[in-house]
């Protein structure tokens, strides 16, 4: 481990004492394995790759940029409608991942909902696997006791003995370490 200077450690501790900073950190870095690939996907890079503009093209022509802009559509504003549409995309992606886990096959319907070009899905969490869980507005560490039959929920026992076992959706869990892909 890299030693952290005391002054930096004190500043970090002070910053993390703020509920807003802790919430921002959680939103920025806490991803369940089922959502991680969705959030890492970059639609702009995908379109550039489809148009063969990522591999060594120093400058795109007007026709190439016109094609890229046509594929991306009209620029979007941050609105309630936009957020609702993005949330629906996330829910469709989650349903597609659950469908692939359940059947083990990719149908055309499922493929459309998965992030194009990246067909790996995170596997189910293992029993006794160490996880970080979002419970009651806080992050807590624990271990998976049992996977429930709906492919989306787990019983988690927390390291803090005062916290009772909880049934949590996979979207509220994040494993320690790397996540293997199917």
């Amino acid at each position: 481990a890299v030693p952290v200077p005391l002054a930096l450690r004190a500043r970090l501790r002070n910053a993390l004492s703020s509920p807003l900073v802790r919430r921002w950190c959680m939103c920025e870095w806490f991803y369940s394995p089922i959502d991680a690939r969705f959030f890492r996907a970059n639609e702009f890079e995908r379109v550039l790759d489809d148009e063969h503009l990522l591999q060594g093209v120093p400058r795109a022509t007007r026709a190439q940029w016109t094609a890229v802009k046509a594929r991306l559509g009209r620029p979007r504003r941050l609105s309630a409608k936009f957020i609702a549409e993005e949330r629906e995309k996330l829910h469709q992606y989650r349903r597609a991942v659950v469908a692939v886990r359940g059947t083990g096959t990719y149908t055309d319907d499922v493929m459309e909902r998965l992030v194009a070009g990246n067909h790996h899905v995170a596997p189910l969490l293992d029993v006794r696997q160490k996880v970080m869980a979002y419970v009651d507005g806080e992050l807590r560490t624990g271990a998976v006791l049992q996977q429930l039959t709906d492919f989306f929920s787990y019983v988690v026992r927390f390291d803090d003995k005062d916290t009772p076992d909880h049934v949590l959706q996979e979207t509220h869990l994040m494993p320690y370490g790397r996540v293997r892909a199917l």
Side-chain angles (χ1 to χ4, degrees):
V2 177
V4 179
L6 288 176
L8 181 60
R9 190 177 299 169
R11 288 176 58 196
L12 183 61
R13 188 178 303 118
N14 185 38
L16 289 175
S17 67
S18 164
L20 289 175
V21 172
R22 282 197 313 271
R23 179 156 171 78
W24 178 83
C25 290
M26 191 205 62
C27 291
E28 187 69 22
W29 292 305
F30 184 87
Y31 293 104
S32 68
I34 197 170
D35 295 340
R37 290 190 185 277
F38 179 83
F39 287 119
R40 286 188 196 126
N42 184 328
E43 190 175 354
F44 182 67
E45 278 185 4
R46 191 174 40 208
V47 170
L48 288 178
D49 190 42
D50 290 347
E51 296 293 328
H52 308 292
L53 294 176
L54 282 181
Q55 294 86 12
V57 175
R59 190 170 175 150
T61 65
R62 181 178 294 271
Q64 289 170 323
W65 277 117
T66 302
V68 168
K69 289 191 326 188
R71 293 253 331 258
L72 288 174
R74 190 170 176 198
R76 305 287 306 271
R77 294 184 186 269
L78 184 62
S79 64
K81 181 181 177 188
F82 171 77
I83 291 175
E85 289 172 0
E86 292 298 308
R87 186 170 285 139
E88 180 56 31
K89 281 185 198 175
L90 174 62
H91 291 308
Q92 285 179 354
Y93 175 79
R94 287 175 178 167
R95 286 191 294 270
V97 169
V98 170
V100 168
R101 284 179 175 171
T103 63
T105 60
Y106 296 94
T107 63
D108 290 338
D109 175 45
V110 169
M111 289 303 286
E112 288 177 13
R113 288 183 273 162
L114 286 174
V115 178
N118 195 349
H119 310 304
H120 298 288
V121 265
L124 297 169
L125 297 172
D126 297 324
V127 174
R128 292 188 303 278
Q129 182 173 356
K130 294 288 287 178
V131 293
M132 187 174 292
Y134 180 68
V135 181
D136 302 328
E138 294 182 1
L139 293 177
R140 299 175 186 262
T141 58
V144 174
L145 282 183
Q146 177 185 7
Q147 174 201 342
L148 301 179
T149 57
D150 65 358
F151 291 102
F152 218 50
S153 299
Y154 297 88
V155 178
V156 177
R157 174 164 291 155
F158 297 100
D159 296 340
D160 176 16
K161 300 302 180 199
D162 297 333
T163 307
D165 297 351
H166 276 73
V167 174
L168 297 170
Q169 289 185 338
E170 184 175 5
T171 55
H172 290 81
L173 298 171
M174 183 175 94
Y176 281 153
R178 294 183 175 263
V179 178
R180 68 188 197 287
L182 290 178

